[in-house]
Short mmCIF file of all heavy atoms in Angstrom, two decimals:
data_model
loop_
_atom_site.label_atom_id
_atom_site.label_comp_id
_atom_site.label_asym_id
_atom_site.label_seq_id
_atom_site.Cartn_x
_atom_site.Cartn_y
_atom_site.Cartn_z
N TYR A 334 23.49 -54.37 2.68
CA TYR A 334 23.02 -53.27 3.53
C TYR A 334 22.92 -53.79 4.96
O TYR A 334 22.27 -54.81 5.21
CB TYR A 334 21.66 -52.78 3.04
CG TYR A 334 21.13 -51.57 3.79
CD1 TYR A 334 21.51 -50.29 3.42
CD2 TYR A 334 20.26 -51.72 4.86
CE1 TYR A 334 21.02 -49.18 4.10
CE2 TYR A 334 19.76 -50.62 5.54
CZ TYR A 334 20.14 -49.35 5.16
OH TYR A 334 19.66 -48.25 5.83
N GLY A 355 23.87 -48.64 7.30
CA GLY A 355 23.30 -47.51 6.58
C GLY A 355 23.95 -47.19 5.26
O GLY A 355 23.40 -46.43 4.46
N VAL A 357 25.90 -48.42 1.49
CA VAL A 357 25.59 -49.37 0.43
C VAL A 357 26.86 -49.81 -0.28
O VAL A 357 27.67 -48.97 -0.69
CB VAL A 357 24.62 -48.75 -0.60
CG1 VAL A 357 24.54 -49.61 -1.86
CG2 VAL A 357 23.23 -48.60 -0.01
N ALA A 408 26.31 -43.74 4.18
CA ALA A 408 24.94 -43.55 4.67
C ALA A 408 24.45 -42.13 4.45
O ALA A 408 23.30 -41.92 4.07
CB ALA A 408 24.86 -43.95 6.14
N ALA A 410 25.09 -40.16 2.14
CA ALA A 410 24.90 -39.83 0.73
C ALA A 410 23.54 -40.28 0.22
O ALA A 410 23.13 -39.89 -0.89
CB ALA A 410 26.00 -40.48 -0.11
N LEU A 411 22.83 -41.09 1.01
CA LEU A 411 21.53 -41.61 0.59
C LEU A 411 20.42 -40.71 1.09
O LEU A 411 20.47 -40.23 2.22
CB LEU A 411 21.34 -43.03 1.13
CG LEU A 411 22.42 -44.05 0.76
CD1 LEU A 411 22.15 -45.39 1.45
CD2 LEU A 411 22.49 -44.25 -0.75
N PRO A 412 19.39 -40.46 0.28
CA PRO A 412 18.28 -39.62 0.73
C PRO A 412 17.59 -40.20 1.96
O PRO A 412 17.22 -41.38 1.97
CB PRO A 412 17.33 -39.61 -0.48
CG PRO A 412 18.18 -39.97 -1.65
CD PRO A 412 19.22 -40.91 -1.12
N GLU A 413 17.45 -39.38 3.01
CA GLU A 413 16.71 -39.78 4.20
C GLU A 413 15.62 -38.75 4.44
O GLU A 413 15.87 -37.53 4.36
CB GLU A 413 17.63 -39.88 5.41
CG GLU A 413 16.96 -40.49 6.63
CD GLU A 413 17.95 -40.87 7.73
OE1 GLU A 413 18.98 -41.49 7.41
OE2 GLU A 413 17.67 -40.53 8.89
N PHE A 414 14.40 -39.22 4.71
CA PHE A 414 13.27 -38.31 4.79
C PHE A 414 12.20 -38.90 5.70
O PHE A 414 12.23 -40.08 6.04
CB PHE A 414 12.70 -38.01 3.40
CG PHE A 414 12.42 -39.24 2.56
CD1 PHE A 414 11.15 -39.80 2.51
CD2 PHE A 414 13.44 -39.84 1.84
CE1 PHE A 414 10.90 -40.92 1.73
CE2 PHE A 414 13.20 -40.98 1.07
CZ PHE A 414 11.92 -41.51 1.02
N THR A 420 10.48 -42.79 9.32
CA THR A 420 11.80 -42.40 8.81
C THR A 420 12.21 -43.35 7.70
O THR A 420 12.23 -44.57 7.90
CB THR A 420 12.84 -42.42 9.94
OG1 THR A 420 12.43 -41.51 10.96
CG2 THR A 420 14.20 -42.00 9.41
N CYS A 421 12.53 -42.80 6.53
CA CYS A 421 12.85 -43.61 5.36
C CYS A 421 14.24 -43.27 4.84
O CYS A 421 14.63 -42.10 4.82
CB CYS A 421 11.84 -43.36 4.24
SG CYS A 421 10.13 -43.78 4.64
N ARG A 422 14.96 -44.29 4.40
CA ARG A 422 16.21 -44.09 3.67
C ARG A 422 16.06 -44.77 2.32
O ARG A 422 15.77 -45.97 2.26
CB ARG A 422 17.41 -44.66 4.43
CG ARG A 422 18.72 -44.54 3.62
CD ARG A 422 19.93 -45.06 4.36
NE ARG A 422 20.35 -44.13 5.39
CZ ARG A 422 20.44 -44.43 6.69
NH1 ARG A 422 20.11 -45.64 7.11
NH2 ARG A 422 20.84 -43.53 7.55
N LEU A 423 16.24 -44.02 1.24
CA LEU A 423 16.16 -44.57 -0.11
C LEU A 423 17.52 -45.16 -0.48
O LEU A 423 18.46 -44.42 -0.76
CB LEU A 423 15.74 -43.49 -1.10
CG LEU A 423 15.55 -43.92 -2.55
CD1 LEU A 423 14.53 -45.03 -2.69
CD2 LEU A 423 15.17 -42.72 -3.41
N ILE A 424 17.58 -46.47 -0.46
CA ILE A 424 18.85 -47.16 -0.69
C ILE A 424 19.20 -47.17 -2.17
O ILE A 424 20.32 -46.83 -2.57
CB ILE A 424 18.76 -48.60 -0.15
CG1 ILE A 424 18.42 -48.60 1.34
CG2 ILE A 424 20.06 -49.36 -0.40
CD1 ILE A 424 18.04 -49.98 1.89
N VAL A 425 18.24 -47.55 -3.00
CA VAL A 425 18.46 -47.69 -4.44
C VAL A 425 17.21 -47.20 -5.17
O VAL A 425 16.08 -47.42 -4.71
CB VAL A 425 18.74 -49.17 -4.83
CG1 VAL A 425 18.82 -49.33 -6.34
CG2 VAL A 425 20.02 -49.67 -4.18
N GLY A 426 17.40 -46.54 -6.31
CA GLY A 426 16.30 -46.22 -7.19
C GLY A 426 15.63 -44.89 -6.91
O GLY A 426 16.24 -43.96 -6.38
N THR A 427 14.34 -44.82 -7.26
CA THR A 427 13.56 -43.59 -7.13
C THR A 427 12.26 -43.87 -6.39
O THR A 427 11.64 -44.91 -6.59
CB THR A 427 13.24 -42.99 -8.51
OG1 THR A 427 12.47 -43.94 -9.27
CG2 THR A 427 14.50 -42.63 -9.27
N ALA A 428 11.84 -42.90 -5.56
CA ALA A 428 10.58 -43.01 -4.82
C ALA A 428 10.26 -41.68 -4.18
O ALA A 428 11.17 -40.97 -3.71
CB ALA A 428 10.65 -44.10 -3.76
N PHE A 429 8.99 -41.35 -4.14
CA PHE A 429 8.50 -40.14 -3.46
C PHE A 429 9.25 -38.88 -3.92
O PHE A 429 9.58 -38.01 -3.13
CB PHE A 429 8.61 -40.32 -1.94
CG PHE A 429 7.89 -41.53 -1.42
CD1 PHE A 429 8.59 -42.61 -0.91
CD2 PHE A 429 6.50 -41.60 -1.46
CE1 PHE A 429 7.92 -43.74 -0.43
CE2 PHE A 429 5.82 -42.73 -0.99
CZ PHE A 429 6.53 -43.80 -0.48
N GLY A 430 9.54 -38.82 -5.21
CA GLY A 430 10.20 -37.64 -5.78
C GLY A 430 11.68 -37.54 -5.47
O GLY A 430 12.29 -36.49 -5.72
N ARG A 431 12.27 -38.61 -4.95
CA ARG A 431 13.69 -38.60 -4.60
C ARG A 431 14.43 -39.67 -5.38
O ARG A 431 13.84 -40.65 -5.83
CB ARG A 431 13.86 -38.81 -3.09
CG ARG A 431 13.24 -37.68 -2.25
CD ARG A 431 13.12 -38.09 -0.80
NE ARG A 431 12.66 -36.99 0.05
CZ ARG A 431 11.39 -36.68 0.26
NH1 ARG A 431 10.43 -37.40 -0.32
NH2 ARG A 431 11.06 -35.68 1.05
N SER A 432 15.76 -39.50 -5.48
CA SER A 432 16.58 -40.46 -6.22
C SER A 432 17.83 -40.81 -5.42
O SER A 432 18.50 -39.92 -4.88
CB SER A 432 17.01 -39.88 -7.58
OG SER A 432 15.89 -39.63 -8.40
N SER A 433 18.16 -42.08 -5.37
CA SER A 433 19.40 -42.53 -4.75
C SER A 433 20.56 -42.32 -5.73
O SER A 433 20.38 -42.43 -6.94
CB SER A 433 19.29 -44.01 -4.39
OG SER A 433 20.55 -44.57 -4.10
N PRO A 434 21.77 -42.06 -5.21
CA PRO A 434 22.92 -41.92 -6.10
C PRO A 434 23.44 -43.26 -6.63
O PRO A 434 24.32 -43.28 -7.50
CB PRO A 434 23.97 -41.26 -5.20
CG PRO A 434 23.62 -41.72 -3.82
CD PRO A 434 22.12 -41.78 -3.80
N VAL A 435 22.92 -44.37 -6.14
CA VAL A 435 23.37 -45.69 -6.60
C VAL A 435 22.90 -45.89 -8.05
O VAL A 435 21.71 -45.76 -8.34
CB VAL A 435 22.81 -46.80 -5.70
CG1 VAL A 435 23.24 -48.17 -6.20
CG2 VAL A 435 23.25 -46.60 -4.24
N THR A 441 13.45 -48.97 -10.35
CA THR A 441 13.68 -49.73 -9.13
C THR A 441 13.43 -48.85 -7.92
O THR A 441 13.63 -47.64 -7.99
CB THR A 441 15.17 -50.21 -9.08
OG1 THR A 441 15.50 -50.89 -10.28
CG2 THR A 441 15.43 -51.13 -7.90
N PHE A 442 13.03 -49.47 -6.80
CA PHE A 442 13.11 -48.78 -5.52
C PHE A 442 13.42 -49.78 -4.42
O PHE A 442 13.03 -50.94 -4.48
CB PHE A 442 11.82 -48.00 -5.19
CG PHE A 442 10.70 -48.85 -4.65
CD1 PHE A 442 10.50 -48.98 -3.28
CD2 PHE A 442 9.82 -49.48 -5.52
CE1 PHE A 442 9.46 -49.76 -2.78
CE2 PHE A 442 8.78 -50.26 -5.03
CZ PHE A 442 8.59 -50.39 -3.66
N TYR A 443 14.17 -49.29 -3.42
CA TYR A 443 14.58 -50.11 -2.27
C TYR A 443 14.70 -49.16 -1.10
O TYR A 443 15.53 -48.24 -1.12
CB TYR A 443 15.90 -50.80 -2.60
CG TYR A 443 16.45 -51.77 -1.57
CD1 TYR A 443 15.64 -52.39 -0.62
CD2 TYR A 443 17.81 -52.08 -1.58
CE1 TYR A 443 16.16 -53.28 0.29
CE2 TYR A 443 18.34 -52.98 -0.67
CZ TYR A 443 17.51 -53.59 0.26
OH TYR A 443 18.04 -54.47 1.17
N ILE A 444 13.85 -49.34 -0.08
CA ILE A 444 13.74 -48.39 1.03
C ILE A 444 13.86 -49.12 2.37
O ILE A 444 13.26 -50.18 2.57
CB ILE A 444 12.37 -47.66 0.98
CG1 ILE A 444 12.27 -46.78 -0.28
CG2 ILE A 444 12.15 -46.81 2.22
CD1 ILE A 444 10.89 -46.20 -0.51
N HIS A 445 14.63 -48.53 3.27
CA HIS A 445 14.68 -48.94 4.68
C HIS A 445 13.81 -47.95 5.45
O HIS A 445 14.04 -46.74 5.38
CB HIS A 445 16.13 -48.91 5.17
CG HIS A 445 16.29 -48.99 6.65
ND1 HIS A 445 17.43 -48.57 7.30
CD2 HIS A 445 15.45 -49.43 7.64
CE1 HIS A 445 17.29 -48.74 8.60
NE2 HIS A 445 16.09 -49.25 8.83
N ALA A 446 12.81 -48.47 6.18
CA ALA A 446 11.89 -47.60 6.92
C ALA A 446 11.82 -48.01 8.38
O ALA A 446 11.84 -49.21 8.70
CB ALA A 446 10.49 -47.66 6.30
N PRO A 457 5.56 -46.33 -2.64
CA PRO A 457 5.50 -45.55 -3.88
C PRO A 457 4.51 -46.17 -4.87
O PRO A 457 4.48 -47.39 -5.04
CB PRO A 457 6.93 -45.57 -4.40
CG PRO A 457 7.59 -46.71 -3.71
CD PRO A 457 6.91 -46.88 -2.40
N HIS A 460 5.68 -47.52 -9.15
CA HIS A 460 6.34 -48.77 -9.55
C HIS A 460 5.32 -49.91 -9.65
O HIS A 460 4.45 -50.06 -8.80
CB HIS A 460 7.43 -49.13 -8.54
CG HIS A 460 8.57 -48.16 -8.54
ND1 HIS A 460 9.54 -48.14 -9.52
CD2 HIS A 460 8.89 -47.15 -7.68
CE1 HIS A 460 10.41 -47.18 -9.27
NE2 HIS A 460 10.03 -46.56 -8.16
N MET A 505 11.31 -52.14 1.89
CA MET A 505 10.36 -52.10 0.79
C MET A 505 11.11 -52.18 -0.52
O MET A 505 12.08 -51.44 -0.72
CB MET A 505 9.52 -50.84 0.90
CG MET A 505 8.69 -50.78 2.18
SD MET A 505 7.63 -49.33 2.34
CE MET A 505 8.80 -48.14 3.01
#
Side-chain angles (χ1 to χ4, degrees):
Y334 184 85
V357 167
L411 304 176
E413 188 168 314
F414 50 96
T420 300
C421 299
R422 176 178 285 122
L423 182 57
I424 302 168
V425 174
T427 60
F429 304 112
R431 297 166 174 87
S432 297
S433 166
V435 178
T441 307
F442 80 95
Y443 184 23
I444 295 171
H445 166 201
H460 294 284
M505 298 182 276

